[in-house]
């Protein structure tokens, strides 16, 4: 059956949710149009893949953040106006598909006006400290009332939705998928030039990937580096995508305080994730709050690198401890340093874990499985 899906996302930068939607929208082709509420590199990335994409500016709705307690009247009015615009577009769509929480609020209002079903692809672990309680309660109430289905990117995300009061019957779990092609392209090569250009003197490189945010735990990776010998370096890959500039400053100060300035490279946002991962010795994931999914973990596996990940949330659905990677307690820098030291001491074990991780990621977290999962839910909604 040919679908007409109107997808909404309020974000213009390339976070994990947006990179997943990029693959989904590319696979749906003419069946999916995407409307963003802010302009940015995400629009260019979608357009480059031939996706029909437009920006519908969100006005004062931009002032509402995950941690906001009460939205202003201006923000509510902006959401309402945006919903009217979306409802007009929805007249020629079969279903509204929201890829972010703010987009879901607009989709829910628009879906009601246009009498179209609404699917919320939930990619956040509701109840996290960086969401206000009111924000979570509001989204869950709206989902129970107006969503036809909620797609959760892991069982952990699904369980958190239900714990927050969401109806279990609404939820379908579809794990994220990651395209192995960029990793295959660099599989036979050890990118020595890249490594040398970044850390010429390092005998061992630990790398952490993700936007800079306190809960992503880059501070834990820096603390762990302080416990490793001087020939070890750390690459911090990612930017403060949503304005967390003070956090980036704090990370740089932490590195300086610990005498690590020369050993920590802050690389900012990068588009060459696969070669960077190949050029590092170990990929660490350091979230201090349960990660809903963690694309970077699958990517580390696809790059055939040993992965040490913080054991909480959806991470346990990706990594099996001592089989496909190593799990450590979230926020425990000493445990992270120990796990990295042990991998460094035993290259054979590191290679075994990396190979098992790569095979598992390929088998379990492909883009076709993710796209089929989303399509199944949309078909179910329209049946
Ligand atoms: N990423 C990137 N460039 C960077 C840092 C991260 O492209 O400099 C990508 C990373 O490869 C991954 C995504 O951003 O695909 C982050 O997804 P994840 O699920 O790990 O976290 P989220 O952003 O969804 O919280």
């Amino acid at each position: 059956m040919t679908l007409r899906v109107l997808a909404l996302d309020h974000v213009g930068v390339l976070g994990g949710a947006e990179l997943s939607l990029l693959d989904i929208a590319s696979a749906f082709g003419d069946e999916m149009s995407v409307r963003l509420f802010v302009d940015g590199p995400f629009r260019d990335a979608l357009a480059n893949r031939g996706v029909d994409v437009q920006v519908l500016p969100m006005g004062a709705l931009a002032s509402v953040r995950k941690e906001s307690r009460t939205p202003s009247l201006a923000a509510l009015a902006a959401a309402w106006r945006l919903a009217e615009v979306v409802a007009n577009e929805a007249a020629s769509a079969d279903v509204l598909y929201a890829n972010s929480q703010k987009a879901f609020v607009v989709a829910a209002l628009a879906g009601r006006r246009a009498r179209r079903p609404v699917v919320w692809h939930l990619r956040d672990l509701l109840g996290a400290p960086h969401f206000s309680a009111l924000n979570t309660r509001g989204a869950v109430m709206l989902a129970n009332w107006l969503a036809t289905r909620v797609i959760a990117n892991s069982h952990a995300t699904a369980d958190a939705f239900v714990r927050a009061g969401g109806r279990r019957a609404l939820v379908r779990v579809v794990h994220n998928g990651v395209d192995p092609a960029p990793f295959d392209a660099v599989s036979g090569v050890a990118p020595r030039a890249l490594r040398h250009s970044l850390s010429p003197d390092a005998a061992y490189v630990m790398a952490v990937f993700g936007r800079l945010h306190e809960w992503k735990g880059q501070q834990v990776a820096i603390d762990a580096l302080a416990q490793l010998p001087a020939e070890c370096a750390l690459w911090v890959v990612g930017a403060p995508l949503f304005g967390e500039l003070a956090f980036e400053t704090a990370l740089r100060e932490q590195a300086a305080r610990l005498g690590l300035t020369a050993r920590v490279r802050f690389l900012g946002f990068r588009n060459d994730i696969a070669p960077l991962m190949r050029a590092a010795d170990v990929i660490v994931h350091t979230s201090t709050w349960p990660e809903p999914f963690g694309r970077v973990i699958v990517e580390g596996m696809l790059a055939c690198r040993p992965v040490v990940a913080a054991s909480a949330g959806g991470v346990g659905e990706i990594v099996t401890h001592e089989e496909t990677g190593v799990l450590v307690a979230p926020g425990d820098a000493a445990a992270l340093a120990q796990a990295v030291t042990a991998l460094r001491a035993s290259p054979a074990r590191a290679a075994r874990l990396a190979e098992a991780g790569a095979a598992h990621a390929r088998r379990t977290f492909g883009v076709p499985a993710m796209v089929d999962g989303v399509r199944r839910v949309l078909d179910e909604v329209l049946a």
Side-chain angles (χ1 to χ4, degrees):
M1 181 172 73
T2 304
L3 293 172
R4 291 169 306 167
V5 185
L6 184 61
L8 305 175
D9 194 314
H10 79 279
V11 172
V13 290
L14 288 166
E18 289 64 45
L19 290 165
S20 288
L21 178 56
L22 184 59
D23 284 334
I24 291 167
S26 308
F28 272 81
D30 291 344
E31 292 181 299
M32 186 176 277
S33 298
V34 180
R35 298 295 175 258
L36 307 178
F37 301 168
V38 64
D39 207 349
F42 185 29
R43 182 176 62 95
D44 299 333
L46 286 160
N48 287 340
R49 298 250 198 126
V51 175
D52 165 36
V53 56
Q54 283 176 36
V55 178
L56 309 172
M58 65 178 146
L61 186 56
S63 66
V64 181
R65 297 180 60 93
K66 284 175 178 167
E67 61 277 13
S68 301
R69 288 180 198 286
T70 9
S72 66
L73 279 179
L76 291 174
W80 190 252
R81 272 195 304 275
L82 192 52
E84 278 180 9
V85 177
V86 172
N88 286 338
E89 288 223 31
S92 54
D94 301 311
V95 57
L96 286 160
Y97 167 82
N99 196 53
S100 65
Q101 190 172 345
K102 218 179 258 185
F104 167 62
V105 173
V106 172
L109 299 174
R112 194 168 160 77
R113 280 180 83 102
R115 297 175 194 280
R116 291 292 183 277
V118 175
V119 173
W120 179 16
H121 202 140
L122 174 58
R123 302 173 173 285
D124 289 312
L125 222 135
L126 296 179
H130 49 286
F131 283 93
S132 76
L134 189 86
N135 192 311
T136 298
R137 258 205 314 279
V140 167
M141 262 172 48
L142 209 58
N144 284 345
W145 179 33
L146 293 174
T148 312
R149 284 287 175 272
V150 173
I151 301 177
N153 63 359
S154 67
H155 293 284
T157 298
D159 292 346
F161 173 75
V162 173
R163 267 198 310 277
R167 284 200 286 127
R168 173 74 72 182
L170 289 177
V171 185
R172 302 288 179 269
V173 173
V174 178
H175 281 132
N176 282 334
V178 178
D179 182 6
F183 299 89
D184 291 346
V186 293
S187 69
V189 230
R192 279 180 211 289
L194 179 57
R195 168 143 168 169
H196 189 76
S197 70
L198 294 172
S199 293
D201 302 325
Y204 197 80
V205 173
M206 168 166 90
V208 62
F209 293 77
R211 65 200 150 86
L212 302 187
H213 193 293
E214 197 176 349
W215 81 267
K216 289 287 185 184
Q218 286 90 356
Q219 70 278 21
V220 181
I222 295 175
D223 276 341
L225 182 71
Q227 301 175 36
L228 296 175
E231 70 270 18
C232 297
L234 170 68
W235 296 345
V236 179
V237 185
L241 286 188
F242 302 107
E244 300 85 355
L245 294 171
F247 180 63
E248 176 167 3
T249 306
L251 287 176
R252 289 178 188 275
E253 284 170 3
Q254 178 193 2
R257 207 171 46 246
L258 294 168
L260 299 173
T261 304
R263 290 166 58 195
V264 182
R265 295 296 316 264
F266 289 93
L267 302 184
F269 187 88
R270 303 276 297 220
N271 288 310
D272 54 346
I273 297 302
L276 280 169
M277 285 185 167
R278 278 299 292 175
D281 293 297
V282 62
I283 309 305
V284 298
H285 162 268
T286 51
S287 293
T288 56
W289 175 263
E291 182 79 52
F293 181 84
R295 286 172 54 97
V296 290
I297 299 167
V298 174
E299 290 166 349
M301 290 168 148
L302 289 173
C304 208
R305 285 290 166 260
V307 174
V308 182
S311 172
V315 174
E317 296 165 45
I318 305 174
V319 176
T320 305
H321 184 53
E322 287 298 342
E323 264 180 45
T324 51
V326 178
L327 295 175
V328 293
D332 190 340
L336 177 60
Q338 256 171 32
V340 169
T341 303
L343 286 168
R344 188 175 176 213
S346 172
R349 174 172 159 261
R352 183 171 47 73
L353 290 171
E355 275 158 31
H360 176 62
R362 235 160 243 286
R363 250 192 334 267
T364 319
F365 300 110
V367 170
M370 167 177 70
V371 171
D372 285 354
V374 171
R375 184 178 286 279
R376 251 198 317 278
V377 177
L378 297 177
D379 284 346
E380 185 187 345
V381 161
L382 294 172

